[in-house]
Amino acid sequence: FITKGPGLSASKLAGKRLLIIFADGYTISNHVLDADGNAVRTSGPSWMSPQQAQDVENYVLAGGALLTIHNSLWGYPIVPRDAPDPAAMMQELRDVQAVLRDASAPMTTEQAGQAEASRMGPYRRACGGVGGYHPAFERQSVHVVDPDHPIVSGVRDFEVHDEQHFVFYDAHLGARMFLKSRGSDGRESCAGYSYQHGRGRVCYLASGHVPLASQPSMHLPPGEPHAIAHPMVQLLYLNAVSWLTTGEAPRPRASAGL
């Protein structure tokens, strides 16, 4: 378990069965004041260096499992380059957002014009998809679209307060969507997919935003669980970990509390 990006390395991954990433790719560097004197957060370069991105891909190619959650496709290097380039990475994110912002249904990377192999860096290849946009925090519905997938074993359609992350997935390379989300405006996005990269299994799950005290617009109605505490989201996490490491759904357990 690490909380700082520089702690991720090939040596840290050696012998591990599963890597879970639950963080966006930008390090918040400082606060500046806008023209009205309000503090504005500014983003520094990605915490994942070219070497770290390659270490992650090598780990997956060799058989390591990778679970990316919620914002973990957001703000990471997409196009391969020798060194982090914050300006270029921000432009990558804007280009992706320009398509995602207008999306109204789940999209593959081919449909979004994001499937060109020469424009995929190591982390992008390992993830099997790309993301970078979400509407405001709100109540949304999540729907099972592939009931035969082990990751949705026992999962029912559910509603949750969350950010609806919009992502593309590499269907042309075998990525398999099993969940979709639907916002209050009716727009839908891929909310979960699985992928095989080399010898390693990969899964992306969109549900998982945790409201912070510093974000009053994200306060939940009384009695509503935050996304990561929702029983169906917890079951998805449990199933994903089992499938990533064994290829199967976990055996039912009376003590699972679900």
Side-chain angles (χ1 to χ4, degrees):
F1 180 88
I2 61 172
T3 59
K4 301 295 183 182
L8 182 65
S9 65
S11 61
K12 285 283 187 181
L13 292 171
K16 304 297 191 299
R17 296 175 62 193
L18 173 65
L19 169 63
I20 303 173
I21 297 183
F22 193 1
D24 61 49
Y26 284 104
T27 300
I28 302 301
S29 56
N30 56 12
H31 288 74
V32 297
L33 299 181
D34 63 16
D36 297 322
N38 300 312
V40 178
R41 292 190 305 175
T42 59
S43 297
S46 170
W47 66 258
M48 189 175 287
S49 68
Q51 184 58 56
Q52 288 175 310
Q54 191 60 67
D55 289 345
V56 170
E57 184 182 34
N58 290 345
Y59 162 80
V60 176
L61 288 170
L66 173 64
L67 173 59
T68 54
I69 297 174
H70 196 54
N71 55 341
S72 298
L73 302 185
W74 176 294
Y76 289 89
I78 299 174
V79 178
R81 50 178 56 91
D82 295 331
D85 184 339
M89 290 178 62
M90 285 299 293
Q91 188 58 53
E92 287 176 6
L93 185 57
R94 293 188 190 101
D95 291 343
V96 169
Q97 288 178 332
V99 181
L100 287 171
R101 194 174 284 113
D102 293 332
S104 59
M107 294 180 68
T108 68
T109 50
E110 283 190 313
Q111 292 170 327
Q114 294 285 330
E116 184 181 341
S118 65
R119 293 185 58 79
M120 294 185 191
Y123 185 72
R124 162 69 182 87
R125 288 193 296 265
C127 287
V130 61
Y133 169 74
H134 65 80
F137 182 82
E138 65 166 13
R139 191 175 183 86
Q140 63 181 269
S141 57
V142 181
H143 303 266
V144 175
V145 296
D146 185 356
D148 294 329
H149 200 297
I151 294 178
V152 295
S153 177
V155 175
R156 304 181 303 274
D157 293 354
F158 61 95
E159 292 190 345
V160 62
H161 277 84
D162 206 343
E163 293 172 335
Q164 185 188 10
H165 275 247
F166 280 69
V167 301
F168 313 126
Y169 61 102
D170 288 336
H172 68 294
L173 298 177
R176 176 180 172 185
M177 181 177 74
F178 50 79
L179 283 179
K180 69 178 181 180
S181 59
R182 180 180 300 134
S184 62
D185 58 1
R187 297 172 62 199
E188 296 181 343
S189 178
C190 172
Y193 67 81
S194 62
Y195 176 60
Q196 183 87 26
H197 190 55
R199 293 167 52 199
R201 296 188 183 94
V202 179
C203 173
Y204 171 75
L205 293 172
S207 294
H209 191 80
V210 180
L212 304 175
S214 60
Q215 300 172 321
S217 64
M218 297 184 179
H219 286 174
L220 295 169
E224 290 281 347
H226 58 71
I228 202 170
H230 192 290
M232 288 296 105
V233 175
Q234 292 187 348
L235 181 55
L236 283 167
Y237 289 170
L238 180 67
N239 287 351
V241 168
S242 180
W243 178 82
L244 286 163
T245 55
T246 70
E248 301 175 355
R251 295 177 180 175
R253 296 185 300 170
S255 60
L258 298 171

